[in-house]
Amino acid sequence: MEMRESKIINQGLEDEMAMWGYRPCLWKMVLVGIGAVCSGGLLLLLLYWLPEWGVKTTCTHTSLRDARTLLLRSTDEFRQWFRAQVHVMLAPGKRPFDSVDLQSTAQLPNGDGECTLAAIHEERYGVFPHIQPVQIHYFTLHSTKYYWNDVMHNFEIYKGLEDVKVSCASIHCDHSAGLSKPLQDYRRLFFEENEIAVRVPSILKLLIKEVLNPFYIFQLFSVILWSAEDYYYYATAIVFMSVISIATSLYTIKKQYVMLHNMVAAHSIVRVSVCRGTKDVEQAMSTELVPGDVIVIPANGMILPCDAVLVHGTCIVNESMLTGECVPVTKTSLPNSGEDGASTYSMEEHKRHTLFCGTHVIQTRFYTGELVKAVVVRTGFSTEKGQLVRSILYPKPTDFKLYRDAYLFLLCLVGVAGIGFIYTIILSIMNQVPAKTIIIESLDIITITVPPALPAAMTAGIVYAQRRLKRVGIFCISPQRINMCGQLNLVCFDKTGTLTEDGLDLWGIQRVEDGSFSPPEVEAAKENLVDTPFVSCMATCHSLTKIEGELSGDPLDLKMFSATGWILEEATEEETALHNPIMPTVVRPPKHVLPETNQNIRLTQNLELSALSSYEIGIVRQFPFSSALQRMSVVVRRLGEKHMGAYLKGAPEVVVGLCKEETVPQSFTETLEAYTRQGFRVIALAHRQLESKLSWHKVQSLNRDLIETNMEFLGLIIMQNKLKEETAGVLEDLRQANIRTLMVTGDNMLTAISVARDCGMIRSHERVIIADAVPPKDIQPASVTWHYTENPAHNTNNHNQVVEIKLEEGGYEAQPAQLDQSYHFAMSGRAFAVITEHFPHLLQKLVLRATVFARMAPDQKTQLVEVLQSVDYTVGMCGDGANDCGALKRAHSGISLSELEASVASPFTSSTSNISCVPNLIREGRAALITSFCVFKFMALYSIIQYLSVTLLYSLLSNLGDFQFLFIDIAIILIIAFTMSLNPAWKELVCRRPPSSLISGPLLFSVLTQILTCMTFQVLAFLLVRQQSWYEIWTPLSDACNVSHAGLSYSLNGTSPHDHKNIRNYENTTLFYVSSFQYLAVAIIFSKGRPFRQPSYKNWPFMLSCVGLYIFLFLIMLRPVPAIDRFLEVL
């Protein structure tokens, strides 16, 4: 029944969830209330920890339409449960973009819009009194609202303008005038205020949430129990430790909330100019914006408070907050005609026209009399910035085998405690012990077996590792992931800015003359090249702009433009205002490089200027670089000429496809491969003269596809992208440590393969097989082809057949001799997409041997990480933040080399901009992981040793004393547990990884062996002391252990306050000393050093503690000190 009624929300997305509907049930609630009273509130706590049972025990199942409470479960491997309350609001329409007659509501009741909107939020009616309101059911989860849809019979999210599948042309026609005030108010009912509200919880709220943790509830239970036994000192010590732990935790959580709040709130609420109709512009707060509003972007720029699409003008934007790339990006207005205009608007596809929330518009360019306008697309948490903040506020739980095994181990300890619990009850009943004592002592055995200090001790190693990482410039926002770094067996690297330097150097140019390549030239700024289309293309085909007098833009564009030596001049605002069209950006060569024929003629100043101006080129229109198209182009006009021209640059294979075949040299493929094999980055240039009938205004509305066709191929620019000094050494270290490395880049395939060879990712004797895939076309099905990069033309079919057969048949371990093991697969983003969709059965097999992934889009990088995780790799991702955010967040350990705001999505951020941080992080992760194992085993043995001591003493109706517990738990256990975690990481990466599971043969064997050894010695000591000639069995009336001892006298009736619990007896003293030495012995045995941590003898606090405690114990045992004996209640 439940499964039939369940629905899926966010289908196909990261936060996909199944959902069931419930309504309150009175008789169930009464029963739960009675159970809560009878259990002293423990039942309510249990239902708080288990939302699934909390709903099922108080509600009955119903349809989603009638539900008042929803039970949701994530569909990922974590299967997390959530509960949400369904609310009802009243609105004039059912959906935000429905056509509703709101004309008569132009004046809101009482004329107070703000007050009325607040009332709507609370009461859900009253703003639109003339319209019969409809009821809308909704619920909120993780800062996202879901509304009921009667057609779909499911809840849905309203993200923004994209929901109505509007075309680009329609945005210009139907949405560029702005919204009326009533329509804005109506939409705000659904989208609420435009604010990414990170509420910083109060200390009290955080405290309650922290204290309700099962661990602290167990500690509270332990403290109450110990107080009932008059163990006040130890109870006080545990309370003191808990208070410190809670205070530290609250401080850390509060600090993170405040930091995130400050980051988000810095520019989240600003005043904006909003268009009302075609001409009316009014000032409003950014919180009032809704999808469909039209805002004016001021000339001096602003911080965007929403996601908006540009419909008029051009903006230069710094998107470092989102991408981690501080290079200014030029945003142009959305196309409104042709195929581009007819296409459905998508933020992903039209990102070059979209201004994202939180990004900084540096400056705008506009036409005289027209404003730079943008249509609001998304607001609040639906924006790109909002999604980033949500991912930080509601992260997925860390899935790590160590933690799962730790819980299983704790359950085993609880089972052992259960045995002791039953044993204590039976033994006490047989000895006719009072009922109160039976209850207290039987419960006490549980608190002994499950140590309350375990979580604090386990955290210590991670905290120390975090501090050591900070010292080497690696900052961590998710400390639990440090342990996961110790298990990394594969690391993906971005190329540009990560493996190689950020900047590119111009190696040379190779122009085309008369249909063939001329010899390569080193400089483009020669006098004889000034008037060539090639240099003109280099000087104009870019998106550079001047910001505060300095050229700014993409590093590649900057390098290319500076190589020409030309000068860029932009019109000022005052000059723009004097002209109807926007004054174009002008580029010109410096005077000293003009041809001598012009420079030697001594003419008048006017003629000289005229000669100079003939080389000036105005950039009339830009078509910005698109990663999907892999090209950019500009329309230009040389001063004094009637014809306009178009220049194009981009990926060579793309540019060639847009050029006339006769202009492309026959040796193009061989020349390109020669450069890319050497690791050069190659860019192709092309030119075309446009028809004379094209006017400036026509050009502004032309589709780029009409411009970028029938081009003439001009030649190649060869850029050199040097490896960073540290790259090769680090990758060799990782290879020696048996950690696989991959390259995931947006660059050319052959360039990426060459860089992979240069840095040692692919070794010189290893071959590379390129996997290429073609999507289905007409009647042709999708297909995969294979070829070796070294000889793609020779004997291709044979190679294809061998590799394809093995892929179809399965495992790579069974490769035939003719295809040796020394090979790697490489594939492009296009091939990855086709194989993912049409050959999913091949994908997992391919990634097992693939090393280079080229031309990968940002979302494909994330998909690749997920595929690698699905074949049981523990994946690390290292990138510079630009376009890597999704992959950095999805990987088990994401390491960002950028310290900009985009890195907040990454668990780790390095202040050094090279990959030397990766082995450092893995070494510290391995050390922290081994430390966690050591501490866990030590704490488990500690609880078992104490459990054995207490169980043996219970047979005498005795126990350890209050101060004996205190000495063991504080002086021995806590000091040892916290100091044994201080071993630094080993200085080298070794080829084997630390174990990831506690439930493994060697680990269990070591623990069980120690348990048996300790048990044997305790039982032997317990039995041997009873065989001594001076031994006398203790009874309440005997004086066996109460005779004068060390100058002290005691009462003979055995009822003195020091001895009413039978603490001072021979067995107690014997087991106290034996167990104390066992704690220290176990600590030394389990404190593992090499090969993952420095040896324990280099951890001087640990060694000092162990030696000091050994000396102290030997002294008080062999040379008793009366004051200490009295304090510890030993003989």
PDB file of all heavy atoms in Angstrom, residues 486 922-928 930-931 983-995 1088-1094:
ATOM      1  N   GLY A 486      42.815   9.082   3.824  1.00  0.00           N
ATOM      2  CA  GLY A 486      43.737   7.971   4.037  1.00  0.00           C
ATOM      3  C   GLY A 486      43.433   6.766   3.181  1.00  0.00           C
ATOM      4  O   GLY A 486      44.274   5.871   3.033  1.00  0.00           O
ATOM      5  N   ILE A 922      47.059  13.131   1.754  1.00  0.00           N
ATOM      6  CA  ILE A 922      46.904  11.668   1.844  1.00  0.00           C
ATOM      7  C   ILE A 922      47.712  11.127   3.025  1.00  0.00           C
ATOM      8  O   ILE A 922      47.238  10.255   3.770  1.00  0.00           O
ATOM      9  CB  ILE A 922      47.325  10.997   0.522  1.00  0.00           C
ATOM     10  CG1 ILE A 922      46.372  11.418  -0.605  1.00  0.00           C
ATOM     11  CG2 ILE A 922      47.311   9.473   0.658  1.00  0.00           C
ATOM     12  CD1 ILE A 922      46.782  10.946  -1.985  1.00  0.00           C
ATOM     13  N   ARG A 923      48.937  11.637   3.216  1.00  0.00           N
ATOM     14  CA  ARG A 923      49.756  11.181   4.341  1.00  0.00           C
ATOM     15  C   ARG A 923      49.071  11.477   5.675  1.00  0.00           C
ATOM     16  O   ARG A 923      49.001  10.626   6.560  1.00  0.00           O
ATOM     17  CB  ARG A 923      51.136  11.860   4.308  1.00  0.00           C
ATOM     18  CG  ARG A 923      52.064  11.321   3.230  1.00  0.00           C
ATOM     19  CD  ARG A 923      53.494  11.824   3.362  1.00  0.00           C
ATOM     20  NE  ARG A 923      53.591  13.267   3.394  1.00  0.00           N
ATOM     21  CZ  ARG A 923      53.841  13.987   4.491  1.00  0.00           C
ATOM     22  NH1 ARG A 923      54.010  13.374   5.653  1.00  0.00           N
ATOM     23  NH2 ARG A 923      53.923  15.299   4.437  1.00  0.00           N
ATOM     24  N   GLU A 924      48.557  12.706   5.804  1.00  0.00           N
ATOM     25  CA  GLU A 924      47.874  13.068   7.047  1.00  0.00           C
ATOM     26  C   GLU A 924      46.583  12.270   7.215  1.00  0.00           C
ATOM     27  O   GLU A 924      46.198  11.903   8.327  1.00  0.00           O
ATOM     28  CB  GLU A 924      47.562  14.574   7.069  1.00  0.00           C
ATOM     29  CG  GLU A 924      48.774  15.468   7.236  1.00  0.00           C
ATOM     30  CD  GLU A 924      49.467  15.284   8.585  1.00  0.00           C
ATOM     31  OE1 GLU A 924      48.904  14.619   9.475  1.00  0.00           O
ATOM     32  OE2 GLU A 924      50.591  15.803   8.739  1.00  0.00           O
ATOM     33  N   GLY A 925      45.909  11.991   6.093  1.00  0.00           N
ATOM     34  CA  GLY A 925      44.694  11.169   6.153  1.00  0.00           C
ATOM     35  C   GLY A 925      44.994   9.760   6.619  1.00  0.00           C
ATOM     36  O   GLY A 925      44.269   9.190   7.436  1.00  0.00           O
ATOM     37  N   ARG A 926      46.089   9.206   6.108  1.00  0.00           N
ATOM     38  CA  ARG A 926      46.478   7.851   6.522  1.00  0.00           C
ATOM     39  C   ARG A 926      46.854   7.832   8.003  1.00  0.00           C
ATOM     40  O   ARG A 926      46.475   6.899   8.734  1.00  0.00           O
ATOM     41  CB  ARG A 926      47.656   7.367   5.668  1.00  0.00           C
ATOM     42  CG  ARG A 926      47.263   7.036   4.232  1.00  0.00           C
ATOM     43  CD  ARG A 926      48.451   6.558   3.417  1.00  0.00           C
ATOM     44  NE  ARG A 926      48.025   6.058   2.112  1.00  0.00           N
ATOM     45  CZ  ARG A 926      48.843   5.474   1.242  1.00  0.00           C
ATOM     46  NH1 ARG A 926      50.127   5.321   1.536  1.00  0.00           N
ATOM     47  NH2 ARG A 926      48.381   5.051   0.081  1.00  0.00           N
ATOM     48  N   ALA A 927      47.590   8.868   8.428  1.00  0.00           N
ATOM     49  CA  ALA A 927      47.982   8.928   9.845  1.00  0.00           C
ATOM     50  C   ALA A 927      46.748   9.062  10.731  1.00  0.00           C
ATOM     51  O   ALA A 927      46.636   8.394  11.772  1.00  0.00           O
ATOM     52  CB  ALA A 927      48.928  10.108  10.074  1.00  0.00           C
ATOM     53  N   ALA A 928      45.798   9.920  10.318  1.00  0.00           N
ATOM     54  CA  ALA A 928      44.574  10.108  11.107  1.00  0.00           C
ATOM     55  C   ALA A 928      43.743   8.832  11.142  1.00  0.00           C
ATOM     56  O   ALA A 928      43.149   8.491  12.172  1.00  0.00           O
ATOM     57  CB  ALA A 928      43.749  11.261  10.521  1.00  0.00           C
ATOM     58  N   ILE A 930      44.848   5.651  10.803  1.00  0.00           N
ATOM     59  CA  ILE A 930      45.514   4.684  11.681  1.00  0.00           C
ATOM     60  C   ILE A 930      45.324   5.089  13.145  1.00  0.00           C
ATOM     61  O   ILE A 930      45.102   4.241  14.018  1.00  0.00           O
ATOM     62  CB  ILE A 930      47.012   4.586  11.326  1.00  0.00           C
ATOM     63  CG1 ILE A 930      47.179   3.821  10.009  1.00  0.00           C
ATOM     64  CG2 ILE A 930      47.815   3.911  12.427  1.00  0.00           C
ATOM     65  CD1 ILE A 930      46.718   2.366  10.067  1.00  0.00           C
ATOM     66  N   THR A 931      45.402   6.401  13.420  1.00  0.00           N
ATOM     67  CA  THR A 931      45.176   6.894  14.782  1.00  0.00           C
ATOM     68  C   THR A 931      43.775   6.521  15.256  1.00  0.00           C
ATOM     69  O   THR A 931      43.584   6.095  16.401  1.00  0.00           O
ATOM     70  CB  THR A 931      45.369   8.423  14.844  1.00  0.00           C
ATOM     71  OG1 THR A 931      46.711   8.729  14.476  1.00  0.00           O
ATOM     72  CG2 THR A 931      45.087   8.960  16.232  1.00  0.00           C
ATOM     73  N   ASN A 983      51.062  11.247  17.205  1.00  0.00           N
ATOM     74  CA  ASN A 983      52.094  10.820  16.248  1.00  0.00           C
ATOM     75  C   ASN A 983      51.902  11.515  14.909  1.00  0.00           C
ATOM     76  O   ASN A 983      50.833  11.381  14.292  1.00  0.00           O
ATOM     77  CB  ASN A 983      52.012   9.301  16.010  1.00  0.00           C
ATOM     78  CG  ASN A 983      52.454   8.498  17.206  1.00  0.00           C
ATOM     79  OD1 ASN A 983      52.153   8.855  18.346  1.00  0.00           O
ATOM     80  ND2 ASN A 983      53.169   7.423  16.952  1.00  0.00           N
ATOM     81  N   PRO A 984      52.902  12.242  14.405  1.00  0.00           N
ATOM     82  CA  PRO A 984      52.757  12.875  13.080  1.00  0.00           C
ATOM     83  C   PRO A 984      52.739  11.829  11.971  1.00  0.00           C
ATOM     84  O   PRO A 984      53.061  10.652  12.197  1.00  0.00           O
ATOM     85  CB  PRO A 984      54.013  13.770  12.974  1.00  0.00           C
ATOM     86  CG  PRO A 984      54.592  13.824  14.344  1.00  0.00           C
ATOM     87  CD  PRO A 984      54.191  12.568  15.035  1.00  0.00           C
ATOM     88  N   ALA A 985      52.383  12.284  10.775  1.00  0.00           N
ATOM     89  CA  ALA A 985      52.336  11.378   9.624  1.00  0.00           C
ATOM     90  C   ALA A 985      53.750  10.972   9.218  1.00  0.00           C
ATOM     91  O   ALA A 985      54.707  11.721   9.401  1.00  0.00           O
ATOM     92  CB  ALA A 985      51.631  12.066   8.463  1.00  0.00           C
ATOM     93  N   TRP A 986      53.863   9.765   8.638  1.00  0.00           N
ATOM     94  CA  TRP A 986      55.141   9.305   8.114  1.00  0.00           C
ATOM     95  C   TRP A 986      55.518  10.163   6.917  1.00  0.00           C
ATOM     96  O   TRP A 986      54.657  10.640   6.183  1.00  0.00           O
ATOM     97  CB  TRP A 986      55.020   7.828   7.726  1.00  0.00           C
ATOM     98  CG  TRP A 986      56.314   7.207   7.272  1.00  0.00           C
ATOM     99  CD1 TRP A 986      56.581   6.693   6.040  1.00  0.00           C
ATOM    100  CD2 TRP A 986      57.508   7.034   8.039  1.00  0.00           C
ATOM    101  NE1 TRP A 986      57.859   6.208   5.991  1.00  0.00           N
ATOM    102  CE2 TRP A 986      58.461   6.418   7.212  1.00  0.00           C
ATOM    103  CE3 TRP A 986      57.855   7.354   9.351  1.00  0.00           C
ATOM    104  CZ2 TRP A 986      59.742   6.107   7.631  1.00  0.00           C
ATOM    105  CZ3 TRP A 986      59.132   7.043   9.795  1.00  0.00           C
ATOM    106  CH2 TRP A 986      60.062   6.423   8.930  1.00  0.00           C
ATOM    107  N   LYS A 987      56.813  10.380   6.720  1.00  0.00           N
ATOM    108  CA  LYS A 987      57.279  11.377   5.743  1.00  0.00           C
ATOM    109  C   LYS A 987      57.108  10.930   4.293  1.00  0.00           C
ATOM    110  O   LYS A 987      57.199  11.749   3.386  1.00  0.00           O
ATOM    111  CB  LYS A 987      58.749  11.702   6.014  1.00  0.00           C
ATOM    112  CG  LYS A 987      59.658  10.480   6.036  1.00  0.00           C
ATOM    113  CD  LYS A 987      61.030  10.799   6.582  1.00  0.00           C
ATOM    114  CE  LYS A 987      61.867   9.516   6.727  1.00  0.00           C
ATOM    115  NZ  LYS A 987      63.143   9.786   7.388  1.00  0.00           N
ATOM    116  N   GLU A 988      56.851   9.660   4.045  1.00  0.00           N
ATOM    117  CA  GLU A 988      56.707   9.165   2.681  1.00  0.00           C
ATOM    118  C   GLU A 988      55.379   8.447   2.500  1.00  0.00           C
ATOM    119  O   GLU A 988      54.803   7.947   3.460  1.00  0.00           O
ATOM    120  CB  GLU A 988      57.850   8.187   2.345  1.00  0.00           C
ATOM    121  CG  GLU A 988      59.218   8.826   2.328  1.00  0.00           C
ATOM    122  CD  GLU A 988      60.321   7.786   2.165  1.00  0.00           C
ATOM    123  OE1 GLU A 988      59.964   6.582   2.053  1.00  0.00           O
ATOM    124  OE2 GLU A 988      61.497   8.157   2.180  1.00  0.00           O
ATOM    125  N   LEU A 989      54.934   8.408   1.231  1.00  0.00           N
ATOM    126  CA  LEU A 989      53.747   7.601   0.892  1.00  0.00           C
ATOM    127  C   LEU A 989      54.213   6.200   0.541  1.00  0.00           C
ATOM    128  O   LEU A 989      55.058   6.031  -0.347  1.00  0.00           O
ATOM    129  CB  LEU A 989      53.019   8.213  -0.305  1.00  0.00           C
ATOM    130  CG  LEU A 989      52.050   9.362  -0.044  1.00  0.00           C
ATOM    131  CD1 LEU A 989      51.488   9.854  -1.366  1.00  0.00           C
ATOM    132  CD2 LEU A 989      50.926   8.943   0.870  1.00  0.00           C
ATOM    133  N   VAL A 990      53.681   5.216   1.226  1.00  0.00           N
ATOM    134  CA  VAL A 990      54.051   3.830   0.920  1.00  0.00           C
ATOM    135  C   VAL A 990      53.019   3.232  -0.031  1.00  0.00           C
ATOM    136  O   VAL A 990      51.932   3.789  -0.227  1.00  0.00           O
ATOM    137  CB  VAL A 990      54.155   2.984   2.209  1.00  0.00           C
ATOM    138  CG1 VAL A 990      55.312   3.466   3.064  1.00  0.00           C
ATOM    139  CG2 VAL A 990      52.854   3.016   2.991  1.00  0.00           C
ATOM    140  N   CYS A 991      53.374   2.093  -0.615  1.00  0.00           N
ATOM    141  CA  CYS A 991      52.534   1.561  -1.693  1.00  0.00           C
ATOM    142  C   CYS A 991      51.269   0.879  -1.192  1.00  0.00           C
ATOM    143  O   CYS A 991      50.382   0.592  -1.971  1.00  0.00           O
ATOM    144  CB  CYS A 991      53.332   0.593  -2.569  1.00  0.00           C
ATOM    145  SG  CYS A 991      53.911  -0.842  -1.671  1.00  0.00           S
ATOM    146  N   ARG A 992      51.163   0.593   0.097  1.00  0.00           N
ATOM    147  CA  ARG A 992      49.918  -0.028   0.573  1.00  0.00           C
ATOM    148  C   ARG A 992      49.114   0.964   1.391  1.00  0.00           C
ATOM    149  O   ARG A 992      49.652   1.887   2.002  1.00  0.00           O
ATOM    150  CB  ARG A 992      50.217  -1.285   1.388  1.00  0.00           C
ATOM    151  CG  ARG A 992      51.001  -1.084   2.658  1.00  0.00           C
ATOM    152  CD  ARG A 992      51.424  -2.445   3.221  1.00  0.00           C
ATOM    153  NE  ARG A 992      52.209  -2.329   4.429  1.00  0.00           N
ATOM    154  CZ  ARG A 992      51.707  -2.354   5.655  1.00  0.00           C
ATOM    155  NH1 ARG A 992      50.400  -2.504   5.820  1.00  0.00           N
ATOM    156  NH2 ARG A 992      52.483  -2.253   6.711  1.00  0.00           N
ATOM    157  N   ARG A 993      47.811   0.751   1.352  1.00  0.00           N
ATOM    158  CA  ARG A 993      46.909   1.636   2.088  1.00  0.00           C
ATOM    159  C   ARG A 993      46.594   1.051   3.457  1.00  0.00           C
ATOM    160  O   ARG A 993      46.666  -0.162   3.647  1.00  0.00           O
ATOM    161  CB  ARG A 993      45.596   1.800   1.318  1.00  0.00           C
ATOM    162  CG  ARG A 993      45.718   2.606   0.048  1.00  0.00           C
ATOM    163  CD  ARG A 993      44.350   2.799  -0.577  1.00  0.00           C
ATOM    164  NE  ARG A 993      43.753   1.527  -0.970  1.00  0.00           N
ATOM    165  CZ  ARG A 993      42.453   1.320  -1.096  1.00  0.00           C
ATOM    166  NH1 ARG A 993      41.607   2.286  -0.824  1.00  0.00           N
ATOM    167  NH2 ARG A 993      41.985   0.148  -1.474  1.00  0.00           N
ATOM    168  N   PRO A 994      46.246   1.912   4.408  1.00  0.00           N
ATOM    169  CA  PRO A 994      45.814   1.388   5.703  1.00  0.00           C
ATOM    170  C   PRO A 994      44.481   0.664   5.546  1.00  0.00           C
ATOM    171  O   PRO A 994      43.742   0.915   4.591  1.00  0.00           O
ATOM    172  CB  PRO A 994      45.656   2.643   6.569  1.00  0.00           C
ATOM    173  CG  PRO A 994      45.518   3.769   5.621  1.00  0.00           C
ATOM    174  CD  PRO A 994      46.244   3.385   4.375  1.00  0.00           C
ATOM    175  N   PRO A 995      44.146  -0.258   6.453  1.00  0.00           N
ATOM    176  CA  PRO A 995      42.847  -0.954   6.357  1.00  0.00           C
ATOM    177  C   PRO A 995      41.706   0.042   6.508  1.00  0.00           C
ATOM    178  O   PRO A 995      41.842   1.072   7.165  1.00  0.00           O
ATOM    179  CB  PRO A 995      42.894  -1.947   7.514  1.00  0.00           C
ATOM    180  CG  PRO A 995      43.895  -1.395   8.466  1.00  0.00           C
ATOM    181  CD  PRO A 995      44.909  -0.672   7.644  1.00  0.00           C
ATOM    182  N   LYS A1088      50.495   2.228  16.855  1.00  0.00           N
ATOM    183  CA  LYS A1088      51.246   1.817  15.659  1.00  0.00           C
ATOM    184  C   LYS A1088      51.969   3.013  15.050  1.00  0.00           C
ATOM    185  O   LYS A1088      51.424   4.104  14.969  1.00  0.00           O
ATOM    186  CB  LYS A1088      50.259   1.213  14.649  1.00  0.00           C
ATOM    187  CG  LYS A1088      50.902   0.540  13.456  1.00  0.00           C
ATOM    188  CD  LYS A1088      49.816  -0.097  12.606  1.00  0.00           C
ATOM    189  CE  LYS A1088      50.358  -0.669  11.310  1.00  0.00           C
ATOM    190  NZ  LYS A1088      51.322  -1.749  11.500  1.00  0.00           N
ATOM    191  N   GLY A1089      53.211   2.794  14.610  1.00  0.00           N
ATOM    192  CA  GLY A1089      53.994   3.849  13.977  1.00  0.00           C
ATOM    193  C   GLY A1089      54.100   3.633  12.486  1.00  0.00           C
ATOM    194  O   GLY A1089      53.118   3.782  11.761  1.00  0.00           O
ATOM    195  N   ARG A1090      55.296   3.285  12.001  1.00  0.00           N
ATOM    196  CA  ARG A1090      55.480   3.052  10.579  1.00  0.00           C
ATOM    197  C   ARG A1090      54.542   1.956  10.077  1.00  0.00           C
ATOM    198  O   ARG A1090      54.159   1.093  10.838  1.00  0.00           O
ATOM    199  CB  ARG A1090      56.932   2.625  10.319  1.00  0.00           C
ATOM    200  CG  ARG A1090      57.947   3.742  10.590  1.00  0.00           C
ATOM    201  CD  ARG A1090      59.368   3.270  10.377  1.00  0.00           C
ATOM    202  NE  ARG A1090      59.603   2.902   8.992  1.00  0.00           N
ATOM    203  CZ  ARG A1090      60.780   2.506   8.519  1.00  0.00           C
ATOM    204  NH1 ARG A1090      61.817   2.448   9.325  1.00  0.00           N
ATOM    205  NH2 ARG A1090      60.921   2.191   7.254  1.00  0.00           N
ATOM    206  N   PRO A1091      54.134   2.020   8.783  1.00  0.00           N
ATOM    207  CA  PRO A1091      54.586   2.942   7.740  1.00  0.00           C
ATOM    208  C   PRO A1091      53.678   4.159   7.524  1.00  0.00           C
ATOM    209  O   PRO A1091      53.856   4.865   6.545  1.00  0.00           O
ATOM    210  CB  PRO A1091      54.573   2.048   6.501  1.00  0.00           C
ATOM    211  CG  PRO A1091      53.379   1.154   6.741  1.00  0.00           C
ATOM    212  CD  PRO A1091      53.317   0.926   8.228  1.00  0.00           C
ATOM    213  N   PHE A1092      52.699   4.360   8.392  1.00  0.00           N
ATOM    214  CA  PHE A1092      51.766   5.456   8.164  1.00  0.00           C
ATOM    215  C   PHE A1092      51.944   6.614   9.150  1.00  0.00           C
ATOM    216  O   PHE A1092      51.516   7.726   8.882  1.00  0.00           O
ATOM    217  CB  PHE A1092      50.319   4.945   8.235  1.00  0.00           C
ATOM    218  CG  PHE A1092      50.041   3.824   7.285  1.00  0.00           C
ATOM    219  CD1 PHE A1092      49.728   2.557   7.746  1.00  0.00           C
ATOM    220  CD2 PHE A1092      50.112   4.032   5.923  1.00  0.00           C
ATOM    221  CE1 PHE A1092      49.483   1.517   6.867  1.00  0.00           C
ATOM    222  CE2 PHE A1092      49.866   2.997   5.031  1.00  0.00           C
ATOM    223  CZ  PHE A1092      49.553   1.729   5.499  1.00  0.00           C
ATOM    224  N   ARG A1093      52.557   6.301  10.315  1.00  0.00           N
ATOM    225  CA  ARG A1093      52.794   7.347  11.308  1.00  0.00           C
ATOM    226  C   ARG A1093      54.253   7.296  11.756  1.00  0.00           C
ATOM    227  O   ARG A1093      54.928   6.282  11.611  1.00  0.00           O
ATOM    228  CB  ARG A1093      51.902   7.158  12.539  1.00  0.00           C
ATOM    229  CG  ARG A1093      50.422   7.133  12.264  1.00  0.00           C
ATOM    230  CD  ARG A1093      49.613   7.364  13.528  1.00  0.00           C
ATOM    231  NE  ARG A1093      49.977   6.474  14.627  1.00  0.00           N
ATOM    232  CZ  ARG A1093      49.585   6.652  15.881  1.00  0.00           C
ATOM    233  NH1 ARG A1093      48.855   7.702  16.197  1.00  0.00           N
ATOM    234  NH2 ARG A1093      49.919   5.789  16.835  1.00  0.00           N
ATOM    235  N   GLN A1094      54.714   8.402  12.306  1.00  0.00           N
ATOM    236  CA  GLN A1094      56.052   8.410  12.890  1.00  0.00           C
ATOM    237  C   GLN A1094      56.069   7.441  14.068  1.00  0.00           C
ATOM    238  O   GLN A1094      55.055   7.227  14.732  1.00  0.00           O
ATOM    239  CB  GLN A1094      56.397   9.818  13.380  1.00  0.00           C
ATOM    240  CG  GLN A1094      56.491  10.863  12.281  1.00  0.00           C
ATOM    241  CD  GLN A1094      57.796  10.803  11.505  1.00  0.00           C
ATOM    242  OE1 GLN A1094      58.662   9.998  11.811  1.00  0.00           O
ATOM    243  NE2 GLN A1094      57.927  11.625  10.485  1.00  0.00           N
TER     244      GLN A1094
END
